Amino acid sequence: MKLKHGYYDVFIRTCAKYPSRIAIRHYENGLYKNYTYSELYGVCEYVSQNLQQLTCKKGIIGIVSERNAIIPCIIAAAHKCSTTFMFLNPAEDFENIIYKLKFKILIEIKNVESGNSELFSRKSDKTITVFNLVVNIYDLDSGVSQSNYKYAPEHSFIAMTSGSTGEPKHIQVPIQCMQPNIDDLTKIFDITPNDIIYFSTPLTFDPSMIEILLACMNGASLLIAPEKPDMLFPEKNENSVTFWQTTPSKFFQHSNANIKNKILSANSTLKILALGGEPLNGVKRLKELKDIKNKTKIFTLYGVTEMSCWACVAELDLNKILCDQEVPLGNCLSETEIILEPTHKNENTSKIILASKTRKCSILNKATGTDEPNFLKCIDTGDIGEVKNGTIYYRGRKDDIIKRFGHKVNLQAIESTIMLCPRVKTCSSIWLPKPMLLVVYFSSETLTSRELSDFLKCKLDDKHWPDKIIRTDNLPMNSHGKISKQILCEMFEKSQEPQTLDSLKMILMKELKVTLNRNFTYDDIKDKNFFSIGGTSFLAVSFCNKLSLMCPKFGKVILPYLISQKNTIDEIIHIAIKELGIEEKKARKRLKRSRSNIESFASTSHSIKKLAENVKSQNLIEFVVIWTYDTGKCVDASPTLFQNGFKQYVTVGSHSGKIIVVDAISGITQGVVKVKSRVEASVFCYNETPLTTPCGMVGTYDGTIVCFTLESCEELWRINIGSMIKSKGTCWKGYLYIAAYDGKIRCIDVLTGKIKHTIQITDQAISADLALAKNEYILLGTLSGVCASLHIETRTVVWRASLGSPVFANPVLYDNDKYVVFAEVNGEIHCRTVEKGIKIWKYQGAKGNIFSSIYVKEVDKFKWQMVFGCYDSKVYSIIVKNFQPNVQWKTQLTSSVYSTPCSLSDKLILAVSNNGILYILNSETGVIISEYNLPNESFSTPAVYGDYIFIGCRNDYLYSIKYSLNL
């Protein structure tokens, strides 16, 4: 097919052939907005006219956008007006790419609600609005020098490799390279105008072009919707997906229940599931979850961006394939050839080389700075294959074959074995050559690391046994949706590095006891040298080798001092601290609790037993800093956790005016929103109708309120109400309710940022967060000492009461929102009914001011535990039984407590004192079990996810700290 104007010709032919067919189905606000091919044709011509008014020449057009309804029109218009385009991720810093490739035009596509934006510190040269989208066009051709990169002046697009198999490259992909894929896959997948193709691949990943062109060539529909099975496979089938191309990692993040009951159910509309981009680990899971009556055909795709896009395809017969090792590479697609080059003699495996006489791509950013015409006689993919009975099977990458204990070990084979274990969702094995450690990460809903270890010891010979097996909720992925071994390596290395004096001591003591086969404490040996406690030169070398497996520098640093016999263990530790650059903190004396205090909640014998347990348990819990984020100024705000799909994120604001969103597990930044004043309020996260994507909303010191998407930190709107905000808002039926220091609550439309109502509550400031009760009332406390309940629908204050002092603490609900608890500054705690404000009980036992909010836990029927911090440096726990509050325990810390205690488990409470010490307390007794020092003060309330603690510090950092029982 000869195409004079590239994809533009493809697009207009389809528009002429199928004008009334639905081209785009966009799920928004619970409804589907449909756009026909004739409507898109009109948009294409409109965009083209505006582009032609600028000097396009034959340069590169950059497209900064997420997936949206007009993407097919934009790329068609780009090819009509120029020759080459490139998608850029709006969440990433793309200015460097623009500079290197010397773009001529930049097109930015945003939602109307996002407001005006400026790139390169200037306004756009042209702005047009189509559907609910704003298209900003920037002319970058004013005296720009030519690019060092030589790209062919033919219709093409530029793709960027993810970097998962080496340094990222810019690949110019002519349409002649991609077109054979489209023709073949149309036939193989039987794509017709009736198909609904899920538009799920990131635009910067070249398989996204397969989705766009399969639709545009065949008059089919592209579906834009969140990756939630309920939305992809609704009960009414008219908008239900029939074709889905994705990576195995993304697909297997879905729960077993969703795969079984929705995606691969008996009545699923899914005709084709095409899995590609990385090895398929999960055949056993597919076999178990695919309903016997399900008619979905499952294919695997193999290819490299350097030949864009797919080279081979294989349909899987799950009745015949037993495991991942039996997944074939598949048959070559048109104009593509596989060459197998033996790796070594006497080995069954070969290097996979792709060849083609016609599918020519160019690598633009080769190290030499010149282009590399790729005639594809010799594209070494870096992958290994094995031929059995004429069929090629994928056996991992060259990098996956490692040398361990003198044996060759295939990481891919280990992963395939792991996937045979029931209950494993996804896995990845990584090799760290410096400490020579084989580490396995896996995700599972129920399986433990110990159970997987036992399974692997039965299935693998000992040379393949992992050194470490680590369970995680989900494995980190790169921007293209593939498991990122690079992030896993960084996560592991971070988790192993000693961060503090305590963690260094703990690592030393653990290995020292094993090496010397003795049991002692640090105090027992700190003033002795290594030889006097039973060491020898040989044991010193052996001991340091073991330490080097966990932290390479530590073992190397201390070896000569152990052997010299001149230094004590304590002196050696302090030498290591300096060498490793670990900041030594001055030891803080813990205030001992008197026996009489403890006897207030237990008998004498019980108290002595608890004290003994406390002494024994000083090192029961290990803290490791997983990652930190420098926000530029103090982080006094409390982090907010939110889950999107199967990923967990944390968001928080800072005095610097930055609001950050970070992947909670890996520490990878999702994005940053900047405001002009400090942020002390917590971000409120919302993911309900009318929003189509999770959003964060927060107020600031100068009265600005900003709303942004949590996935990419794209700003949807911002307004200024002219009054300071320290309170976290709440949402109800698509409206944000937020309080300010002028004593008013604003009701704001979450989609537009327009203020619908302003409700005057008091003349004094509201600092505490708002609490939503029964989806009907908002509870609040003010600095004038007023507590009140607002009925949302009628916008009336249904009851109001005056307390004796200001309320800084957030109102807390319990017993299914029947009751609300207010803590006032003077130390009194009040309980009232939510609906009428009837007084229920009052507690006056705190001996200081209360700024902390209250953590509530149901202990038994009609029995609750309430824990809070106090200015008198104590943490209080009161038990409310039959509406009678009584102190359960109070524990002395080393400074005042402003942050709110929270639960780590049924038995553990986390409390943070203002001087930056994290205390873990026994929830039943208040006994301090362990503590960890932050480097500065902290007023931030921690957020807890599993065994991760997220907390802000006045040294400008947000911390991710992992705790584990050191039993």
Side-chain angles (χ1 to χ4, degrees):
M1 184 188 291
K2 207 162 186 182
L3 302 170
K4 186 179 176 182
H5 296 104
Y7 294 126
Y8 174 75
D9 292 350
V10 173
F11 182 71
I12 59 170
R13 283 176 193 174
T14 304
C15 291
K17 190 174 181 181
Y18 304 106
S20 59
R21 282 210 165 264
I22 296 172
I24 301 287
R25 298 166 192 263
H26 193 178
Y27 179 89
E28 274 188 313
N29 307 335
L31 300 171
Y32 290 90
K33 288 185 179 177
N34 295 339
Y35 305 95
T36 63
Y37 276 100
S38 61
E39 287 177 291
L40 292 196
Y41 173 73
V43 172
C44 175
E45 294 303 326
Y46 182 38
V47 173
S48 301
Q49 289 166 15
N50 282 274
L51 280 176
Q52 285 167 339
Q53 292 170 23
L54 301 173
T55 311
C56 286
K57 295 183 180 176
K58 296 295 179 186
I60 302 171
I61 294 179
I63 303 169
V64 183
S65 179
E66 301 283 2
R67 294 181 295 279
N68 60 58
I70 64 170
I71 287 297
C73 320
I74 296 292
I75 66 173
H79 268 189
K80 183 181 181 182
C81 302
S82 185
T83 54
T84 304
F85 65 86
M86 181 178 182
F87 287 118
L88 300 169
N89 185 348
E92 294 176 359
D93 184 4
F94 47 77
E95 289 195 29
N96 194 35
I97 297 173
I98 291 172
Y99 172 76
K100 282 185 175 178
L101 295 179
K102 304 298 180 191
F103 285 25
K104 298 294 183 184
I105 297 283
L106 190 75
I107 301 172
E108 180 194 38
I109 308 169
K110 302 184 79 174
N111 289 323
V112 170
E113 292 86 358
S114 303
N116 296 330
S117 67
E118 292 186 7
L119 294 177
F120 321 111
S121 302
R122 68 182 177 93
K123 290 185 177 178
S124 60
D125 295 281
K126 285 198 172 289
T127 298
I128 58 178
T129 304
V130 287
F131 303 148
N132 197 33
L133 298 164
V134 173
V135 181
N136 294 314
I137 304 173
Y138 295 84
D139 185 356
L140 307 180
D141 196 33
S142 49
V144 188
S145 59
Q146 287 298 310
S147 169
N148 292 330
Y149 302 143
K150 297 176 184 175
Y151 52 89
E154 55 185 313
H155 284 98
S156 56
F157 69 92
I158 296 172
M160 190 169 175
T161 61
S162 63
S164 58
T165 58
E167 285 298 309
K169 304 170 196 163
H170 296 129
I171 312 293
Q172 186 183 5
V173 185
I175 58 173
Q176 290 90 341
C177 181
M178 182 69 83
Q179 194 60 45
N181 265 200
I182 304 304
D183 295 337
D184 284 355
L185 297 178
T186 294
K187 293 173 187 173
I188 293 167
F189 298 147
D190 187 26
I191 303 297
T192 72
N194 297 320
D195 275 304
I196 297 176
I197 296 169
Y198 184 33
F199 194 10
S200 66
T201 303
L203 294 174
T204 51
F205 189 21
D206 54 317
S208 65
M209 289 301 298
I210 296 287
E211 293 163 6
I212 295 168
L213 293 173
L214 276 180
C216 287
M217 287 287 290
N218 297 290
S221 294
L222 280 175
L223 172 69
I224 301 171
E227 194 167 311
K228 295 178 180 177
D230 285 343
M231 297 173 190
L232 303 184
F233 302 97
E235 289 182 13
K236 291 183 179 179
N237 289 342
E238 62 178 309
N239 295 300
S240 194
V241 173
T242 64
F243 174 85
W244 189 358
Q245 172 191 253
T246 186
T247 61
S249 295
K250 281 187 80 176
F251 181 77
F252 284 123
Q253 280 202 339
H254 291 284
S255 68
N256 289 344
N258 275 334
I259 294 174
K260 186 172 185 176
N261 301 328
K262 285 280 183 184
I263 304 170
L264 298 179
S265 66
N267 57 356
S268 173
T269 57
L270 188 63
K271 187 171 77 176
I272 302 292
L273 175 63
L275 300 170
E278 60 183 349
L280 172 57
N281 286 328
V283 165
K284 187 171 185 292
R285 197 168 163 214
L286 285 173
K287 286 166 71 77
E288 290 169 353
L289 298 176
K290 190 174 189 284
D291 192 281
I292 195 167
K293 294 180 182 177
N294 175 267
K295 294 180 181 178
T296 305
K297 291 182 178 180
I298 300 175
F299 290 83
T300 59
L301 296 163
Y302 172 79
V304 291
T305 305
E306 289 85 342
M307 195 186 276
S308 259
C309 174
W310 302 121
C312 304
V313 62
E315 183 176 355
L316 302 186
D317 185 343
L318 295 181
N319 295 318
K320 294 178 181 177
I321 297 174
L322 298 177
C323 63
D324 300 329
Q325 293 288 83
E326 296 179 13
V327 174
L329 206 61
N331 299 319
C332 287
L333 294 166
S334 295
E335 303 177 39
T336 310
E337 184 186 352
I338 287 183
I339 299 169
L340 295 174
E341 188 178 291
T343 48
H344 294 286
K345 290 179 181 178
N346 305 322
E347 285 194 14
N348 297 326
T349 55
S350 304
K351 288 195 289 186
I352 297 175
I353 293 168
L354 294 179
S356 175
K357 293 178 182 177
T358 56
R359 299 183 65 197
K360 301 173 186 177
C361 294
S362 297
I363 301 174
L364 298 182
N365 59 331
K366 196 186 171 191
T368 58
T370 59
D371 67 314
E372 178 186 314
N374 234 335
F375 295 104
L376 306 182
K377 292 176 183 176
C378 185
I379 285 195
D380 187 347
T381 62
D383 294 324
I384 303 294
E386 181 182 7
V387 180
K388 284 184 179 179
N389 302 321
T391 301
I392 305 171
Y393 298 92
Y394 182 82
R395 293 294 180 253
R397 295 190 52 74
K398 283 187 286 190
D399 305 342
D400 288 341
I401 314 292
I402 54 121
K403 210 70 176 290
R404 188 185 189 219
F405 310 136
H407 298 280
K408 280 190 176 180
V409 173
N410 188 325
L411 301 182
Q412 175 67 23
I414 294 173
E415 290 173 6
S416 296
T417 306
I418 293 168
M419 293 309 297
L420 293 174
C421 181
R423 296 182 285 162
V424 172
K425 284 171 65 178
T426 51
C427 72
S428 185
S429 51
I430 56 173
W431 172 248
L432 296 113
K434 216 169 186 180
M436 295 185 69
L437 281 179
L438 176 58
V439 181
V440 161
Y441 279 88
F442 76 101
S443 68
S444 173
E445 293 170 1
T446 54
L447 193 73
T448 65
S449 298
R450 169 54 59 196
E451 287 170 327
L452 181 56
S453 176
D454 293 342
F455 175 85
L456 293 181
K457 285 178 180 176
C458 297
K459 295 285 183 182
L460 298 171
D461 19 8
D462 51 6
K463 63 177 179 283
H464 289 84
W465 289 354
D467 297 298
K468 297 255 183 185
I469 298 177
I470 302 168
R471 180 179 178 271
T472 182
D473 286 342
N474 277 302
L475 273 64
M477 292 188 290
N478 62 26
S479 59
H480 289 174
K482 305 177 190 179
I483 288 175
S484 173
K485 296 203 175 198
Q486 182 183 347
I487 296 173
L488 286 173
C489 289
E490 289 169 3
M491 280 170 61
F492 183 79
E493 286 166 1
K494 275 188 177 182
S495 69
Q496 298 305 299
E497 290 172 8
Q499 302 284 333
T500 63
L501 171 62
D502 289 341
S503 61
L504 204 66
K505 283 180 181 177
M506 190 184 66
I507 290 167
L508 180 128
M509 289 299 294
K510 191 175 179 181
E511 288 304 324
L512 205 54
K513 289 174 187 178
V514 174
T515 301
L516 300 179
N517 196 21
R518 288 181 58 192
N519 195 16
F520 40 66
T521 66
Y522 186 76
D523 287 337
D524 292 337
I525 63 164
K526 68 177 186 179
D527 297 322
K528 299 176 182 177
N529 68 51
F530 181 64
F531 282 73
S532 68
I533 58 174
T536 64
S537 297
F538 173 78
L539 287 176
V541 173
S542 172
F543 170 59
C544 289
N545 281 341
K546 286 181 182 176
L547 282 182
S548 295
L549 290 176
M550 290 181 287
C551 26
K553 292 180 184 176
F554 188 23
K556 188 178 177 182
V557 163
I558 68 171
L559 180 59
Y561 298 102
L562 288 173
I563 293 174
S564 72
Q565 302 185 47
K566 293 179 181 177
N567 300 95
T568 65
I569 298 295
D570 198 50
E571 288 169 345
I572 291 170
I573 278 285
H574 285 87
I575 290 167
I577 284 169
K578 289 177 184 174
E579 291 284 335
L580 298 174
I582 294 171
E583 186 182 342
E584 186 178 357
K585 302 175 186 69
K586 292 179 181 178
R588 303 176 188 265
K589 289 185 180 179
R590 181 180 294 155
L591 300 180
K592 292 184 179 178
R593 303 174 59 191
S594 69
R595 179 169 163 176
S596 59
N597 280 345
I598 299 168
E599 285 177 352
S600 66
F601 63 82
S603 66
T604 306
S605 60
H606 182 68
S607 307
I608 294 169
K609 182 182 176 184
K610 286 294 176 187
L611 277 173
E613 284 177 357
N614 190 23
V615 173
K616 288 178 186 175
S617 64
Q618 292 302 310
N619 296 313
L620 267 182
I621 294 178
E622 175 189 358
F623 297 85
V624 179
V625 175
I626 300 298
W627 54 260
T628 60
Y629 188 104
D630 185 357
T631 67
K633 282 191 178 177
C634 303
V635 185
D636 285 348
S638 302
T640 304
L641 288 164
F642 74 96
Q643 191 163 357
N644 185 23
F646 293 90
K647 280 201 165 188
Q648 192 77 24
Y649 298 96
V650 60
T651 177
V652 73
S654 159
H655 281 222
S656 65
K658 289 180 183 176
I659 304 157
I660 62 166
V661 179
V662 181
D663 185 297
I665 303 303
S666 66
I668 295 170
T669 308
Q670 291 294 111
V672 179
V673 177
K674 293 180 181 176
V675 292
K676 292 180 180 178
S677 68
R678 54 185 175 170
V679 182
E680 265 192 41
S682 292
V683 178
F684 183 83
C685 299
Y686 192 61
N687 188 22
E688 293 179 22
T689 306
L691 295 176
T692 57
T693 185
C695 288
M697 289 161 272
V698 68
T700 71
Y701 252 60
D702 70 355
T704 296
I705 304 170
V706 63
C707 175
F708 55 94
T709 65
L710 290 163
E711 289 179 329
S712 60
C713 283
E714 178 187 350
E715 189 177 309
L716 298 185
W717 52 262
R718 77 167 64 190
I719 59 171
N720 191 291
I721 62 168
S723 181
M724 185 189 298
I725 301 170
K726 287 192 183 182
S727 170
K728 179 181 179 181
T730 188
C731 276
W732 180 80
K733 292 188 178 179
Y735 289 94
L736 169 70
Y737 289 80
I738 195 162
Y741 263 53
D742 59 5
K744 297 172 184 175
I745 291 179
R746 269 89 177 171
C747 168
I748 302 167
D749 189 314
V750 297
L751 278 180
T752 63
K754 291 180 180 175
I755 298 174
K756 187 181 181 187
H757 305 294
T758 300
I759 306 160
Q760 186 77 51
I761 302 295
T762 173
D763 293 326
Q764 298 294 317
I766 303 171
S767 177
D769 296 349
L770 301 180
L772 178 66
K774 298 185 178 183
N775 213 24
E776 191 177 355
Y777 301 91
I778 288 177
L779 284 304
L780 59 111
T782 77
L783 298 191
S784 59
V786 169
C787 60
S789 176
L790 172 73
H791 188 260
I792 304 175
E793 206 139 38
T794 60
R795 302 193 302 279
T796 56
V797 177
V798 289
W799 61 262
R800 178 196 310 261
S802 293
L803 306 176
S805 61
V807 176
F808 282 92
N810 304 330
V812 179
L813 302 157
Y814 76 100
D815 199 5
N816 295 320
D817 292 5
K818 288 180 190 172
Y819 308 104
V820 58
V821 179
F822 295 92
E824 55 176 311
V825 166
N826 69 9
E828 291 186 6
I829 297 174
H830 307 262
C831 174
R832 293 172 180 263
T833 61
V834 165
E835 294 189 15
K836 296 184 178 178
I838 299 167
K839 295 178 184 178
I840 302 298
W841 54 261
K842 182 162 80 170
Y843 177 76
Q844 296 174 286
K847 303 301 179 188
N849 296 336
I850 299 177
F851 298 94
S852 153
S853 298
I854 299 172
Y855 160 69
V856 179
K857 171 187 169 185
E858 186 173 5
V859 180
D860 207 342
K861 197 173 183 181
F862 306 119
K863 183 179 178 182
W864 284 268
Q865 180 185 24
M866 300 191 183
V867 185
F868 59 93
C870 188
Y871 189 80
D872 65 359
S873 303
K874 291 186 178 74
V875 175
Y876 289 76
S877 173
I878 61 175
I879 292 290
V880 179
K881 186 176 181 181
N882 297 326
F883 308 114
Q884 292 297 318
N886 288 293
V887 67
Q888 182 190 22
W889 48 260
K890 46 188 175 181
T891 299
Q892 180 79 47
L893 307 186
T894 50
S895 91
S896 300
V897 182
Y898 283 10
S899 82
T900 306
C902 62
S903 169
L904 291 184
S905 70
D906 279 345
K907 300 293 182 186
L908 301 177
I909 295 278
L910 171 65
V912 183
S913 54
N914 291 359
N915 57 5
I917 304 181
L918 277 64
Y919 293 90
I920 293 186
L921 313 174
N922 183 303
S923 63
E924 294 175 356
T925 63
V927 169
I928 297 172
I929 294 171
S930 191
E931 61 187 61
Y932 177 82
N933 292 13
L934 291 172
N936 209 318
E937 292 178 306
S938 180
F939 301 96
S940 170
T941 292
V944 175
Y945 172 67
D947 49 5
Y948 288 81
I949 299 167
F950 305 93
I951 188 167
C953 183
R954 302 216 93 196
N955 71 339
D956 306 348
Y957 282 80
L958 172 68
Y959 280 80
S960 168
I961 301 168
K962 189 170 185 177
Y963 71 94
S964 57
L965 294 173
N966 183 30
L967 298 174

